[in-house]
Amino acid sequence: MRLRAAVVALAAAVASSSANAASAPPRSLAQKCVQTSGVAATPFWLTASDGTRLYAIEAGSGATTVVHAGLRVLAFDFRDFGDSGRPAGKRASAYGRDVRAAVARARTDGGKRVFLAGASFGGVAALTFGPQVPVAGVISMSGETRLLQMNALTAVRRLRAPLLILGSREDGYLSVAEARALLRNAGSKDKRLVLYPGGFHGWQIVEEAPYAPKARSVVLSWLRKHGG
């Protein structure tokens, strides 16, 4: 069974640079990242409602497990991170606009079921802004309860979409108690918490940890369950 769904991956990379000058085309993923894990992706500029330009990529084919599962993936850098813009005279913390722009793009491109997936910073954003956008589900990997102006512990009460939280038992950023509090607070009827040993954080859970293949399998099984 192939999934007819799109995954919006929320990313926060290194500090913003001047790479997105007004006339500059977006850099390729290979130019931007040292390690691409064999992903073949198309870069483009994504524009938020306040005009802030965000670096984004779309992958519909490539050597990643998610793509092989039949998913289209859209990933982007939040404002003030990576190659995305740093709005002058505007709140650099208006990350909700970035999330809404990405979800709208995924739907415009034909994504009938859109999922938000984020790790660490991106996980907090997914939990905080997931209730504000029409998504089929939210995945948070080590997303903290609070970060900057984002309060996931409160926002998640309004979440109704299915929720999957991945974490590790010795994570210094998201404790077991905090992960359980997020799950308990979530307004979703369909919600699940999976905790792994060690202190792996964020994307490390599905990329570097010794149990990464198992964790990826959990994510894909969850997506299949909710993606139809």
Side-chain angles (χ1 to χ4, degrees):
M1 178 180 68
R2 291 179 65 82
L3 304 178
R4 294 180 175 84
V7 174
V8 175
L10 312 184
V14 296
S16 180
S17 67
S18 58
N20 61 336
S23 60
R27 294 190 294 171
S28 69
L29 187 62
Q31 291 173 322
K32 176 177 167 59
C33 302
V34 176
Q35 175 57 258
T36 64
S37 300
V39 175
T42 301
F44 64 97
W45 293 122
L46 179 68
T47 305
S49 60
D50 62 353
T52 302
R53 194 164 63 166
L54 313 172
Y55 177 90
I57 60 169
E58 284 184 317
S61 62
T64 65
T65 305
V66 170
V67 173
H68 280 170
L71 295 172
R72 185 171 74 255
V73 177
L74 186 158
F76 71 93
D77 288 337
F78 280 101
R79 62 186 63 208
D80 208 19
F81 287 95
D83 285 9
S84 291
R86 185 170 188 170
K90 301 174 183 176
R91 289 183 60 194
S93 58
Y95 302 121
R97 295 175 179 177
D98 304 347
V99 173
R100 287 190 286 273
V103 170
R105 169 66 181 247
R107 289 193 168 279
T108 298
D109 286 350
K112 295 181 180 179
R113 298 180 66 79
V114 178
F115 294 84
L116 279 183
S120 190
F121 184 105
V124 184
L127 294 169
T128 301
F129 303 113
Q132 302 178 16
V133 289
V135 292
V138 172
I139 300 173
S140 172
M141 302 177 210
S142 307
E144 296 93 319
T145 57
R146 294 179 179 85
L147 191 62
L148 301 179
Q149 287 82 12
M150 297 183 289
N151 187 330
L153 198 60
T154 297
V156 79
R157 296 180 186 277
R158 300 189 298 275
L159 184 65
R160 298 296 179 265
L163 171 65
L164 173 64
I165 299 176
L166 302 182
S168 60
R169 296 186 178 278
E170 298 175 30
D171 189 338
Y173 297 94
L174 179 72
S175 69
V176 172
E178 289 171 329
R180 288 175 175 165
L182 284 169
L183 189 76
R184 185 172 58 251
N185 279 16
S188 310
K189 292 183 178 179
D190 183 340
K191 50 188 177 180
R192 181 184 180 190
L193 170 64
V194 182
L195 294 172
Y196 294 98
F200 290 93
H201 180 74
W203 295 115
Q204 292 177 332
I205 292 175
V206 292
E207 292 179 350
E208 302 173 18
Y211 49 76
K214 182 178 180 179
R216 289 196 296 269
S217 179
V218 167
V219 172
L220 288 172
S221 295
W222 188 87
L223 286 168
R224 289 190 182 99
K225 176 183 177 181
H226 298 91

